[in-house]
Amino acid sequence: MNAPVEAGRFGSGQAINRVEDPLLVTGRGRYTDDLSFPGQLHLAFVRSTYAHADLRTVDTSSALGMPGVVAVYTGADLVAAGVKPLPGPAGFRRADGSPGASADRRALAHERVRYVGEPVAAVVATSADAARAGAEAVWVDYEELPAVVNPFDAMQPGAPVLCAAAPDNVAAEMGHGNAQAAAEAFGRAAHVVALDIHNQRLAPSPIEPRCVIARPDAEDGGRLYVHISSQMPTGVRGALAEAIPGLDAQRIRVLVGDVGGGFGMKTGAYPEDIAVAYAAHTLQRPVRWRAERIEEFLSAVHGRDVTSRGELALDADGRVLALRVRGVANVGAYASATGVAIQVLIGPWVSTSIYAIPVVDLHFKAVMTNTATTGAYRGAGRPEAIYLTERLMDAAARKLGLDPAELRRRNMIRPEQMPYTNAMGQVYDSGRFEQILDQGLALADWPGYGARREASRQRGKLRGRGIATFLEWTGGNAFEERVTVNVTADGFIEIGSATQAMGQGIATSYAQLAVDVFGVPIERIRILQGDTDRVNGFGSAGSRSLFTGGSSLDVASRRTIAEAKDLAADALEAPAADIEYHAGRFTVAGTDLGIGLFELAARQPEARIHVDSTSKVGGPTWPNGCHVCEVELDPDTGSVQIVAYASVNDIGRVVSPVIVQGQVEGGAVQGIGQALCEAVRYDDASGQLQSASFMDYALPHADGFVGFKTAFDTSIPCLTNPLGVKGVGELGTIGATPAVVNAVVDALDHAGLGAASEALQMPVTAEQVWRALHLRAFEPSPYRSVS
């Protein structure tokens, strides 16, 4: 099939304007909160003001008498109605072999609350103001219990217990590798480095808060339509069907419009979603809820929050013999399967990164505390693991007196070792890591750093340089995807996918891939997502949309052309083998006889050509990169300014150049946020959230850095999918955090702090830097030895 002109202009690899943007920038986007339905009701939640308490009484009588209040629900009401809790981590195991443990995470708390902000009651009224007034009229009698927010404290004898099945508050734990082989490697090592590292808790903070509207649709037999801001429509449908009696999945239609950011926070269903759907189903009226920003801080899933002790054993030449890690993850009041998996399984998969580390000994505990539940946040386990490994690599280079780039080079997996199986049993299909390192060093002008440091010194600034060479795993281990294609008589190709747009521009990439195959103007391609009546699948998470969804789209598009060729052969009364396709038209080879694709569709009994295709890729992808950051510290104030940031990234084939650059650089900004300013903080004694607004939770600002030099090496295609692409959405986040913090540590080291600078913890605030420089004071080690 010849490459059509349209593919050359708008197909993959071309830098085009995003197809989503005209509607968004002209205010015609349709977010869930933009929707309105006749007779709709508004829901407001009563939330716990205590981190841990028994519910003695939840009195709703006054609220029911308030103007406009239609109904009030409590946890006891929902339990009596048979509403089920969300699933826990039973698929994992505790130390004694028993199933992973967690208290039931219900739509509304029943008998006990376990974190500040947990929903206790739901008030449904004719207006948002009436619902809020009704919520204020609900009287809750709490019997306060001791609370614990630190996971190390939670494991101590006598600590408050969050779940009877886990008296030590350990929801699950998991070990990996070979402890004996690691001990032997450490015994013969010429050098050992060890660091205690805390990956602090983060709030994902998408610009659009959670929103859900549930309504019975009389024109569709009373099925429940659920409009929601979500990354996983099918997952939401399944969770609601599982939780609410009388609603199987076929009775629910989940619809997702525009989504103002997800970052992993909008995967799966929340307790609030179940409460809204239950109210709409019970009252048989539309019910809506949109989170206030404080509710997002209180009850949306948080990310990260793992404390680790990491050790590297190295030989005399600086080659790593073994990696040993002990990690304790705070998974919040209710341990979810996702929150546990991220820390005890997914992070460890990438812990050896791009290095040929032969032996690992890893052990992680997922601990419950009186805090909000943790879950997926951009990177989900990989940033935590890579941050620890890259901090250790810098510490090792400092101890051995080696250039940090040289130490990394000595330990990199070589191209001839591909496919490479790491110590966790994960198989890398492709990668030329030294090639990426060399390009990264050149882009960052690594040899010219000394002159830049001297120039900074003359201005009274302390300059530091950090590097991160790394990879990540993408795919969520969900490699199959279904795609539908409809070629319509009115001249459009409609492609349905269960992956989900959330601001990342995936519709543009999909449209470009479709242009590659169909060769029609990109305006003729319509990408349809967010409707479980059209197509169902895993959704968008783990940077899987392009390499799984895009690959399935490519397969489905080619199957459509193949099926249409048979139809064209019948229409043109010619053998199918003689039919050629080019730029939207079928012709009989060697003649001028032909028929257009859309004309052919019009001749079909349903006036369309329809293909329903399911296909799968061969495994995950392993995008990787080299990120180099330079910072300047102000010794008088401790402020940190990023003055240079260069990255070279291997994401295989690039479909949409503008989009992948935005993904890497936007992700890097989020990684910078973790490095320098973001932190969710709870009061140790009361469990009250102290960072419940953007006045107290600091996001990165544009004036915190000067911009990026970003490059891509497209010469190393992925071998596990037909497109040769690798995931990109989380790569920048993973690389930025260690590159930035390593740069600050380097500046402190050269300011005279030496190895003491390695005690630095995130976020690296101006206060922390000033205290280090002037008082030689650091935060105490966050890690405590546990059995």
Side-chain angles (χ1 to χ4, degrees):
M1 188 167 62
N2 296 327
V5 173
E6 291 297 334
R9 293 171 56 203
F10 297 107
S12 62
Q14 302 303 308
I16 67 170
N17 293 331
R18 299 194 338 163
V19 301
E20 302 93 336
D21 288 350
L23 290 177
L24 297 176
V25 301
T26 56
R28 293 177 289 154
R30 297 284 281 175
Y31 298 89
T32 304
D33 201 40
D34 292 326
L35 305 177
S36 182
F37 299 96
Q40 68 184 4
L41 301 171
H42 298 257
L43 186 147
F45 288 100
V46 178
R47 295 184 180 274
S48 174
T49 55
Y50 291 93
H52 203 194
D54 284 332
L55 297 173
R56 299 178 62 180
T57 305
V58 182
D59 187 345
T60 63
S61 56
S62 295
L64 286 166
M66 296 285 288
V69 171
V70 175
V72 182
Y73 301 103
T74 67
D77 294 332
L78 269 57
V79 169
V83 176
K84 297 177 182 177
L86 288 166
F92 291 90
R93 290 289 180 266
R94 287 174 33 82
D96 61 4
S98 60
S102 176
D104 287 338
R105 189 185 184 196
R106 298 186 176 276
L108 299 171
H110 179 54
E111 297 180 341
R112 180 171 289 184
V113 292
R114 292 175 175 83
Y115 67 94
V116 172
E118 183 171 3
V120 173
V123 178
V124 185
T126 53
S127 71
D129 287 342
R132 284 191 288 265
E136 291 176 0
V138 174
W139 183 74
V140 183
D141 184 10
Y142 297 94
E143 183 175 342
E144 188 176 6
L145 300 170
V148 60
V149 301
N150 184 301
F152 293 94
D153 292 338
M155 290 186 287
Q156 296 302 311
V161 175
L162 279 84
C163 170
D168 56 0
N169 289 316
V170 177
E173 58 185 281
M174 184 173 279
H176 308 279
N178 187 323
Q180 181 177 344
E184 292 172 355
F186 274 88
R188 67 176 186 274
H191 305 282
V192 173
V193 293
L195 291 177
D196 292 347
I197 294 294
H198 181 55
N199 267 273
Q200 77 273 31
R201 181 174 286 231
L202 303 176
S205 305
I207 194 169
E208 180 206 23
R210 288 172 295 155
C211 186
V212 57
I213 303 170
R215 61 183 179 91
D217 191 284
E219 297 181 358
D220 194 9
R223 293 174 72 209
L224 189 69
Y225 281 31
V226 178
H227 303 265
I228 190 170
S229 180
S230 175
Q231 299 172 224
M232 292 182 166
T234 301
V236 169
R237 185 184 72 164
L240 296 179
E242 178 66 24
I244 301 173
L247 274 180
D248 61 43
Q250 299 308 312
R251 297 287 299 162
I252 301 171
R253 182 181 187 182
V254 174
L255 295 156
V256 180
D258 290 313
V259 176
F263 310 128
M265 192 197 85
K266 295 177 181 176
T267 53
Y270 278 89
E272 291 92 339
D273 303 332
I274 296 171
V276 171
Y278 174 80
H281 178 58
T282 303
L283 297 172
Q284 286 296 293
R285 290 180 65 178
V287 177
R288 65 183 300 136
W289 170 73
R290 193 249 307 142
E292 300 293 334
R293 185 58 65 178
I294 192 171
E295 291 181 291
E296 296 295 73
F297 280 110
L298 287 168
S299 65
V301 294
H302 294 157
R304 315 288 193 257
D305 207 348
V306 59
T307 304
S308 305
R309 173 163 290 165
E311 299 172 279
L312 278 183
L314 303 100
D315 68 15
D317 295 323
R319 289 182 172 81
V320 179
L321 304 174
L323 168 69
R324 185 160 56 200
V325 180
R326 297 292 180 265
V328 173
N330 182 352
V331 296
Y334 298 98
S336 69
T338 299
V340 170
I342 284 168
Q343 301 300 350
V344 308
L345 184 61
I346 296 174
W349 281 344
V350 302
S351 58
T352 59
S353 188
I354 63 173
Y355 308 118
I357 300 176
V359 178
V360 297
D361 173 15
L362 316 175
H363 194 95
F364 288 86
K365 295 187 177 187
V367 182
M368 294 173 286
T369 66
N370 294 112
T371 60
T373 295
T374 60
Y377 174 55
R378 200 169 191 170
R382 289 95 80 199
E384 297 93 313
I386 294 298
Y387 177 68
L388 175 61
T389 300
E390 287 301 295
R391 286 288 307 271
L392 284 168
M393 293 299 285
D394 255 32
R398 191 171 290 111
K399 183 169 186 176
L400 274 66
L402 289 174
D403 182 305
E406 173 58 27
L407 179 72
R408 287 167 168 82
R409 187 188 302 276
R410 292 182 187 184
N411 285 283
M412 285 179 176
I413 300 161
R414 300 183 306 278
E416 60 269 23
Q417 293 177 275
M418 297 294 172
Y420 180 84
T421 302
N422 74 7
M424 284 292 297
Q426 297 296 304
V427 179
Y428 307 162
D429 66 287
S430 60
R432 299 175 194 160
F433 307 127
E434 188 172 8
Q435 176 176 309
I436 300 300
L437 170 66
D438 287 338
Q439 294 175 73
L441 298 181
L443 188 65
D445 184 21
W446 191 265
Y449 173 67
R452 294 191 296 276
R453 170 176 275 169
E454 176 59 23
S456 295
R457 187 191 66 79
Q458 292 180 9
R459 295 195 307 273
K461 307 293 185 182
L462 303 173
R463 197 176 188 106
R465 178 180 63 183
I467 184 173
T469 55
F470 64 99
L471 56 62
E472 76 135 326
W473 161 93
T474 73
N477 272 1
F479 302 129
E480 185 174 275
E481 199 63 59
R482 179 184 169 210
V483 171
T484 61
V485 180
N486 283 309
V487 181
T488 67
D490 58 350
F492 291 95
I493 300 170
E494 297 179 339
I495 301 176
S497 171
T499 59
Q500 183 58 51
M502 49 181 156
Q504 81 276 46
I506 192 63
T508 297
S509 299
Y510 283 177
Q512 290 184 266
L513 290 173
V515 169
D516 285 348
V517 177
F518 289 105
V520 300
I522 199 167
E523 295 81 9
R524 293 291 167 185
I525 307 295
R526 291 175 173 169
I527 305 301
L528 306 175
Q529 297 174 290
D531 184 349
T532 57
D533 272 13
R534 287 184 178 271
V535 64
N536 286 282
F538 185 80
S540 287
S543 298
R544 69 181 295 274
S545 297
L546 187 62
F547 89 86
T548 51
S551 293
S552 292
L553 182 148
D554 181 76
V555 170
S557 298
R558 296 182 188 281
R559 287 175 178 172
T560 301
I561 294 296
E563 184 169 317
K565 274 188 176 182
D566 291 336
L567 298 174
D570 290 340
L572 299 172
E573 298 180 348
D578 292 343
I579 301 298
E580 297 177 345
Y581 177 79
H582 178 73
R585 186 170 178 80
F586 293 97
T587 57
V588 179
T591 76
D592 59 0
L593 189 64
I595 186 171
L597 176 63
F598 302 116
E599 180 186 351
L600 182 65
R603 293 191 182 190
Q604 304 312 306
E606 296 182 354
R608 65 171 184 165
I609 300 170
H610 174 75
V611 169
D612 191 327
S613 172
T614 298
S615 58
K616 65 190 305 183
V617 297
T621 74
W622 302 93
N624 55 90
C626 172
H627 288 217
V628 179
C629 175
E630 294 182 19
V631 301
E632 282 187 341
L633 313 184
D634 185 331
D636 294 329
T637 66
S639 68
V640 179
Q641 185 82 10
I642 294 176
V643 294
Y645 194 103
S647 74
V648 174
N649 306 276
D650 166 20
I651 59 169
R653 172 187 172 192
V654 170
V655 173
S656 302
V658 174
I659 287 175
V660 298
Q661 182 174 349
Q663 285 291 297
V664 169
E665 294 178 1
V669 170
Q670 287 185 285
I672 291 166
Q674 177 173 11
L676 299 182
C677 58
E678 295 186 47
V680 171
R681 299 190 186 279
Y682 287 91
D683 179 71
D684 283 340
S686 66
Q688 293 292 328
L689 182 62
Q690 296 177 319
S691 53
S693 78
F694 288 128
M695 294 291 288
D696 305 295
Y697 185 90
L699 291 177
H701 292 184
D703 61 0
F705 48 92
V706 296
F708 299 95
K709 292 181 181 177
T710 305
F712 298 93
D713 185 334
T714 61
S715 69
I716 315 160
C718 179
L719 304 179
T720 63
N721 66 79
L723 298 178
V725 298
K726 303 175 186 180
V728 66
E730 295 158 299
L731 192 66
T733 307
I734 296 166
T737 306
V740 171
V741 177
N742 279 341
V744 177
V745 173
D746 179 60
L748 294 176
D749 176 23
H750 283 82
L753 275 72
S757 60
E758 292 164 1
L760 196 70
Q761 300 292 341
M762 298 185 292
V764 183
T765 61
E767 178 185 2
Q768 188 181 174
V769 171
W770 189 92
R771 287 174 56 84
L773 286 170
H774 296 277
L775 304 178
R776 297 300 194 263
F778 291 91
E779 299 286 335
S781 172
Y783 188 86
R784 303 181 214 166
S785 294
V786 292
S787 60

